[in-house]
Amino acid sequence: MESEKESVKELIVDVGETEVQLALMDNHRLIELNKESSVGHQFTVGDVFLGKVKKIMPALNAAFVDIGDEKEAFIHYLDLGLYFNAFDEFVRRTNTNTNANDIFSEIQLGPILEKEGQIDKVLKPGQMVVVQIVKEPIATKGSRLTAEISLAGRNIVLLPFAKKVSISQKIASKEEKKRLETLVRSILPPNYGAIIRTAAEGKNAAILVSELKSLISKWESSWTKLSKSKNVQLLFTEYSKTTTILRDLFNDSFSNIYVNDQKEYEEIKKYIAQISPDKEKIVKFYDGDEPLFDKFDVTRQIKSSFGKVVPIKQGAYLVIESTEALNVVD
């Protein structure tokens, strides 16, 4: 019996003037398409801000926060996190005349916020708070926020002002769980916690140490902004959508990543080198005359998918018709 043909998985990154399009291909067939605006800041999930409390809503046990968007963002008491007081003390004490590293490491974690507490006992109008977007703004509603900051990597999620080191339940081996927990605890500085993701299973110490250092550096690089100004501002943003997709989807089955922009190419290459050094060579810069999506047959497949006839595997296809009464799929 003939063995099944090996899958060729590729990511095609087309950087335009106003947006970045990402096409995930499996054996040259388009299976996922993502778009990201490249114009201005869009207030996206994962972004971390220094915000200002505008209004307390005791009846909702929540508050509205100014993060620089036209629509005020929203945070509930339960989203302040266990160690909100530590973040609050850090914001208040950090300035150009203090050493942020010393302040961060010496702050005591505790006591935790009461589960049944009231937000007006914790927040006041005008108070500056470090917050992270967990849900993007839609229609008339502003962003949904959390004050429990996290920085997600491929293998590890870093938790500033936390004590726990938890491990994905999908890692079955007790020995591997113990190895990972011992390793991560040994390299975490004071007042940091972490979540060890499933992807960390089997990874060597060098890769995990490198990623953890990168996440810590990302968080601590925001301290300079915080020290210089207590105005509403973006402290740092999540990775670009390209690297976010790679973080969640990338594995050893990826064959190629093609990019038509030098800056994006360098960012992706650097990211791959960090999470999987042996796969750095699959990142390739495309500078051909033919448009990138045309070169890899993405444009034709996009047009085909939005037509009446949509091809699927094994030669089958769907016929989609819209009528006054209903949509018909055959």
Side-chain angles (χ1 to χ4, degrees):
M1 186 175 177
E2 215 175 290
S3 60
E4 188 178 342
K5 186 180 178 181
E6 186 177 348
S7 175
V8 178
K9 188 175 288 186
E10 298 173 310
L11 184 66
I12 316 299
V13 183
D14 181 28
V15 180
E17 290 185 7
T18 60
E19 67 179 4
V20 179
Q21 297 187 90
L22 303 99
L24 183 60
M25 313 290 285
D26 192 349
N27 284 332
H28 310 295
R29 180 174 173 271
L30 179 63
I31 60 173
E32 187 174 325
L33 180 69
N34 289 273
K35 293 184 179 183
E36 175 187 23
S37 173
S38 57
V39 181
H41 187 71
Q42 303 297 312
F43 296 93
T44 55
V45 170
D47 290 351
V48 175
F49 293 83
L50 180 64
K52 177 184 284 188
V53 178
K54 298 295 288 185
K55 187 177 182 181
I56 306 296
M57 307 290 288
L60 298 175
N61 207 13
F64 286 107
V65 180
D66 176 14
I67 59 172
D69 195 359
E70 291 180 1
K71 300 182 288 287
E72 290 177 353
F74 177 88
I75 189 167
H76 191 274
Y77 175 84
L78 294 177
D79 293 319
L80 292 178
L82 296 177
Y83 300 108
F84 173 78
N85 289 327
F87 281 99
D88 184 50
E89 181 181 346
F90 184 66
V91 170
R92 286 186 287 102
R93 291 178 57 187
T94 305
N95 58 60
T96 53
N97 298 317
T98 59
N99 186 311
N101 288 280
D102 290 344
I103 294 173
F104 184 87
S105 60
E106 71 187 24
I107 287 176
Q108 297 297 310
L109 296 184
I112 63 173
L113 286 188
E114 298 176 14
K115 189 176 181 180
E116 304 298 329
Q118 295 298 310
I119 199 162
D120 55 0
K121 304 296 183 185
V122 183
L123 297 182
K124 303 295 180 186
Q127 184 173 345
M128 304 306 294
V129 289
V130 176
V131 288
Q132 185 170 29
I133 294 179
V134 292
K135 189 175 182 180
E136 295 173 8
I138 53 171
T140 59
K141 293 184 177 180
S143 303
R144 180 70 183 261
L145 305 174
T146 179
E148 199 165 17
I149 309 302
S150 64
L151 293 85
R154 167 68 176 162
N155 304 292
I156 298 169
V157 178
L158 179 70
L159 306 173
F161 287 129
K163 293 181 179 180
K164 69 178 181 180
V165 173
S166 56
I167 306 175
S168 168
Q169 294 301 312
K170 293 182 180 179
I171 299 177
S173 168
K174 291 182 179 179
E175 291 77 13
E176 179 63 359
K177 283 185 175 181
K178 184 65 176 177
R179 179 187 78 89
L180 290 170
E181 182 180 358
T182 301
L183 172 63
V184 170
R185 283 192 182 279
S186 70
I187 56 180
L188 274 176
N191 282 345
Y192 282 103
I195 300 171
I196 301 172
R197 306 181 74 181
T198 308
E201 187 171 11
K203 292 292 193 305
N204 63 46
I207 289 177
L208 299 179
V209 169
S210 175
E211 180 173 296
L212 199 54
K213 284 184 177 179
S214 176
L215 293 172
I216 291 173
S217 176
K218 191 178 183 74
W219 162 243
E220 294 186 354
S221 66
S222 71
W223 297 354
T224 302
K225 290 184 178 181
L226 187 62
S227 298
K228 288 181 178 179
S229 172
K230 289 300 195 293
N231 294 322
V232 174
Q233 59 181 309
L234 174 70
L235 294 178
F236 63 87
T237 186
E238 262 273 64
Y239 295 107
S240 68
K241 182 163 284 189
T242 308
T243 45
T244 301
I245 289 173
L246 286 171
R247 182 189 71 196
D248 296 334
L249 298 180
F250 184 81
N251 55 50
D252 292 337
S253 69
F254 267 69
S255 306
N256 297 294
I257 299 172
Y258 294 98
V259 195
N260 65 349
D261 178 80
Q262 188 68 41
K263 184 180 178 181
E264 193 77 23
Y265 164 75
E266 296 293 345
E267 182 181 345
I268 294 171
K269 192 173 181 180
K270 180 181 178 182
Y271 183 71
I272 295 296
Q274 180 190 93
I275 66 172
S276 187
D278 59 323
K279 301 289 283 186
E280 183 182 356
K281 61 184 180 295
I282 74 171
V283 185
K284 298 168 182 176
F285 178 62
Y286 176 79
D287 60 355
D289 294 330
E290 186 178 4
L292 182 60
F293 269 21
D294 291 352
K295 173 72 174 177
F296 291 94
D297 197 37
V298 179
T299 303
R300 183 194 64 79
Q301 293 190 56
I302 292 174
K303 290 179 179 178
S304 174
S305 296
F306 284 96
K308 290 184 178 180
V309 179
V310 181
I312 55 179
K313 287 184 177 180
Q314 285 83 43
Y317 58 89
L318 295 175
V319 178
I320 303 174
E321 289 278 3
S322 294
T323 69
E324 275 188 45
L326 75 166
N327 293 320
V328 181
V329 180
D330 187 6

